């Protein structure tokens, strides 16, 4: 009871006569219980085993276990393949043979590392191993081969004449194949490159069309864009030609922005931001020069010309969103989001950089001349600090907050009276537009009045 296995002893009779390897079978039959408990006993799947008797009275015959050919796969890194040499039909005494490699399509040092030496089989030892290093070379749908040769048998052993090489030697041809997994990776990479190249060709075409559209009046339609550069553009009105001539330098400048076909659109996004920043800097400088020429203070120039120049792109973007989107979220969110970026990032980032600069640096002569004796500068900042005087900023922000609150109230009223923040009946649209423009005029007028009042004082 409780015994899970049992040993079966078979006596083998040794003799000194040479014989081929022999075999016999052991069968399990008649499974039955040996006690009176009535236990049911059955035979399993493996009821027969084969016992091979290897003749050890002769030195033996050398042969490769894998036959005449062996196929191995290349891997990502170099690795060693083990090739077994068997000693058949006898294992008596100490025997040996030599081995070496021979190049064919595979070259030693490039595809594999050639080995050579002697294999020694001690008494009753019938298997030895030769290790050959296979190099990772990046094969793709190709195979190379080399030969491993065992020869010069000693100690009375012979070679298997049924294998390649005859009675003098045994030859094993080793084929090095490309790895299927690596081939799949290469195929996926090639497919991705082909897709990316197709996208690049589309991007090149779209980028070219940007310049053509910038040169044509009104950009041309789809049929016009297929025309050659030397063909005449479609007919346009005098007004179209006038606006085209004025805007042509800016059209050509912004045509250098790559289309969204490159880098998933990120290149277009970053280039657009850079162009917008460049345009903002140019408009700001031009507005400041214009205000200086006409005698306007910087505060008034900032809320009029600079604000108009930098906010008009947002205005047109909101108009496009309002036309294409069934809801007003995109157009209203674009304006509020743009102003939030202007206030928090456009002011916060340069002011932070300026504060750090003046904190770690020394005040210049210009700073000392402007602020060292200014009573509005705190005494603990007299040795150097980033100074931005508020001026009429508090009054201007208060007026802006008031006008913004009135504008939001107007949008809420429109939601209940016109069932929408934008659009609606013609009279409601025109009244809303006029009211919004009047809020801006009120803000500009009051802020300008406060600025001029401060200058007079």
């Amino acid at each position: 009871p409780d015994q899970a296995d049992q040993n079966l002893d078979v006596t083998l009779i040794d003799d000194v006569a040479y014989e081929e390897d022999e075999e016999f079978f052991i069968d399990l039959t008649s499974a039955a219980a040996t006690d009176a408990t009535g236990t049911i006993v059955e035979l399993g799947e493996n009821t027969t085993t084969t016992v091979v008797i290897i003749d050890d009275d002769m030195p033996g015959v050398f042969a490769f276990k894998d036959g005449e050919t062996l196929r191995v796969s290349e891997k990502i890194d170099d690795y060693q393949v083990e090739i077994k040499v068997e000693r058949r039909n006898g294992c008596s005494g100490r025997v040996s043979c030599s081995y070496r490699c021979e190049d064919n399509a595979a070259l030693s040092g490039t595809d594999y590392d050639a080995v050579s030496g002697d294999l020694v089989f001690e008494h009753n030892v019938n298997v030895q191993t030769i290790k050959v290093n296979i190099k990772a070379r990046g094969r793709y749908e190709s195979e190379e081969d080399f030969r491993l040769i065992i020869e010069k048998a000693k100690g009375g052993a012979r070679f298997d004449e049924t294998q390649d090489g005859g009675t003098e030697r045994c030859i094993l041809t080793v084929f090095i194949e490309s790895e299927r997994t690596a081939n799949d990776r290469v195929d996926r990479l090639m497919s991705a490159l082909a897709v990316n190249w197709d996208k690049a060709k589309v991007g090149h075409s779209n980028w070219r069309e940007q310049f053509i559209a910038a040169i044509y009046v009104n950009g041309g339609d789809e049929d016009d864009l297929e025309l050659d550069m030397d063909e005449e553009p479609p007919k346009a009105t005098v007004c179209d030609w006038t606006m085209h001539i004025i805007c042509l330098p800016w059209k050509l400048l912004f045509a250098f922005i790559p289309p969204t076909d490159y880098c998933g659109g990120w290149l277009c996004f970053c280039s657009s931001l850079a162009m917008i920043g460049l345009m903002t800097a140019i408009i700001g400088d031009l507005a400041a020069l214009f205000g200086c020429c006409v005698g306007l203070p910087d505060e008034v120039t900032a809320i009029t010309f600079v604000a108009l120049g930098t906010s008009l792109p947002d205005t047109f973007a909101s108009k496009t969103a309002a036309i294409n989107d069934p809801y007003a979220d995109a157009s209203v969110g674009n304006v509020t989001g743009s102003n939030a970026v202007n206030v928090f990032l456009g002011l916060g980032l340069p002011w932070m950089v300026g504060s750090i600069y003046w904190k770690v640096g020394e005040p210049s002569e210009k700073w000392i001349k402007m602020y060292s004796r200014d009573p509005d500068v705190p005494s603990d900042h007299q040795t150097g600090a980033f100074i931005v005087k508020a001026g009429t900023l508090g009054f201007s922000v208060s007026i802006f907050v008031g006008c913004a609150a009135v504008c939001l109230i107007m949008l809420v009223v429109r939601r209940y009276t016109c069932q929408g923040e934008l659009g609606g009946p013609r009279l409601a649209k025109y009244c809303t537009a006029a009211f919004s423009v009047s809020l801006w005029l009120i803000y500009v007028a009051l802020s300008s009045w406060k600025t001029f009042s401060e200058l007079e004082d």
Side-chain angles (χ1 to χ4, degrees):
D2 298 329
Q3 186 173 1
D5 54 61
Q6 184 62 273
N7 294 326
L8 179 63
D9 296 329
V10 178
T11 302
L12 300 180
I13 300 175
D14 192 14
D15 56 29
V16 295
Y18 169 73
E19 298 173 320
E20 298 288 343
D21 292 348
E22 299 174 326
E23 62 183 28
F24 65 91
F25 305 97
I26 299 177
D27 296 326
L28 298 179
T29 60
S30 304
T34 58
D35 53 17
T37 58
T39 304
I40 298 176
V41 181
E42 296 180 352
L43 293 175
E45 296 181 358
N46 300 321
T47 60
T48 301
T49 185
T50 303
V51 180
V52 179
I53 303 175
I54 300 175
D55 184 50
D56 62 352
D57 297 314
M58 298 297 291
V61 177
F62 292 133
F64 286 106
K65 180 180 180 181
D66 298 299
E68 298 181 357
T69 60
L70 173 64
R71 294 186 176 273
V72 296
S73 296
E74 178 188 18
K75 296 184 179 180
I76 299 177
D77 299 318
D78 296 355
Y79 76 103
Q80 286 188 336
V81 59
E82 294 185 351
I83 301 174
K84 295 184 181 298
V85 178
E86 293 182 335
R87 180 186 184 185
R88 302 172 182 173
N89 300 331
C91 56
S92 176
R94 185 176 188 271
V95 296
S96 65
C97 66
S98 62
Y99 62 90
R100 61 184 174 87
C101 293
E102 183 178 89
D103 291 348
N104 194 23
L107 301 178
S108 174
T110 302
D111 301 293
Y112 73 102
D113 290 329
V115 294
S116 61
D118 295 325
L119 282 179
V120 178
F121 293 77
E122 299 294 343
H123 180 64
N124 286 336
V125 175
N126 55 9
V127 177
Q128 286 287 16
T129 300
I130 301 174
K131 295 182 179 180
V132 181
N133 184 52
I134 305 298
K135 288 184 171 293
R137 197 174 61 84
R139 300 169 182 84
Y140 179 76
E141 292 186 352
S142 64
E143 65 177 22
E144 290 86 17
D145 64 287
F146 67 94
R147 288 181 286 271
L148 180 61
I149 303 172
I150 54 175
E151 55 189 359
K152 299 179 182 179
K154 298 178 181 179
R158 297 177 291 109
F159 293 102
D160 188 353
E161 60 184 15
T162 62
Q163 291 191 0
D164 186 17
T167 59
E168 298 296 326
R169 63 182 58 84
C170 280
I171 301 174
L172 175 68
T173 303
V174 182
F175 293 92
I176 307 175
E177 300 175 331
S178 59
E179 186 186 17
R180 185 69 259 171
T181 304
N183 290 352
D184 293 340
R185 287 196 296 267
V186 173
D187 291 339
R188 289 195 298 269
L189 178 61
M190 293 297 294
S191 177
L193 289 176
V195 172
N196 291 337
W197 177 245
D198 292 338
K199 289 182 178 180
K201 290 193 293 186
V202 173
H204 297 340
S205 177
N206 292 338
W207 206 346
R208 172 179 174 271
E209 290 177 359
Q210 288 182 183
F211 286 93
I212 296 176
I215 294 174
Y216 276 121
V217 181
N218 295 330
D221 54 25
E222 294 183 358
D223 296 331
D224 298 329
L225 293 179
E226 300 298 329
L227 298 175
D228 293 332
M229 293 294 296
D230 55 351
E231 296 186 16
E232 293 192 8
K235 293 182 179 180
T237 63
V238 176
C239 181
D240 293 336
W241 274 105
T242 302
M243 294 303 299
H244 176 70
I245 293 173
I246 295 175
C247 299
L248 181 60
W250 308 108
K251 289 181 179 180
L252 292 176
L253 177 63
F254 280 89
F256 283 98
I257 297 177
T260 56
D261 304 278
Y262 298 98
C263 303
W266 283 103
L267 186 59
C268 176
F269 176 75
C270 297
S271 301
S272 299
L273 286 182
M275 284 292 186
I276 292 173
L278 176 63
M279 289 297 301
T280 302
I282 294 175
I283 291 174
D285 289 342
L286 291 177
L289 291 174
F290 179 77
C292 182
C293 293
V294 299
L296 288 177
D298 291 341
E299 294 85 346
V300 178
T301 303
I303 62 175
T304 53
F305 300 110
V306 175
L308 279 175
T310 57
S311 298
L312 278 179
D314 296 330
T315 304
F316 289 117
S318 297
K319 176 180 178 294
T320 303
I323 294 175
N324 297 328
D325 196 14
Y327 304 102
D329 297 346
S331 56
V332 176
N334 177 69
V335 174
T336 55
S338 174
N339 282 277
V341 171
N342 291 338
V343 173
F344 299 123
L345 184 62
L347 290 180
L349 182 61
W351 283 11
M352 181 186 70
V353 174
S355 300
I356 296 174
Y357 173 80
W358 286 105
K359 181 67 176 177
V360 300
E362 297 293 334
S364 61
E365 295 182 0
K366 182 178 179 181
W367 189 96
I368 296 174
K369 183 178 179 180
M370 291 180 62
Y371 299 112
S372 62
R373 298 182 180 180
D374 194 330
D376 296 331
V377 177
S379 58
D380 54 345
H381 293 325
Q382 294 290 337
T383 57
F386 181 61
I387 305 297
V388 179
K389 291 188 175 182
T392 60
L393 182 62
F395 179 83
S396 180
V397 170
S398 301
I399 298 299
F400 174 80
V401 171
C403 293
V406 173
C407 183
L408 292 176
I409 293 173
M410 177 193 67
L411 294 178
V412 174
V413 172
R414 279 185 54 88
R415 173 174 294 184
Y416 292 101
T417 58
C418 302
Q419 287 74 45
E421 287 81 357
L422 301 177
R426 182 182 298 272
L427 180 60
K429 290 192 295 184
Y430 289 153
C431 290
T432 301
F435 184 70
S436 299
V437 173
S438 65
L439 288 177
W440 178 70
L441 294 175
I442 291 173
Y443 165 73
V444 171
L446 292 178
S447 297
S448 300
W449 167 78
K450 181 64 175 178
T451 300
F452 284 110
S453 299
E454 291 288 336
L455 291 177
E456 292 178 358
D457 295 339

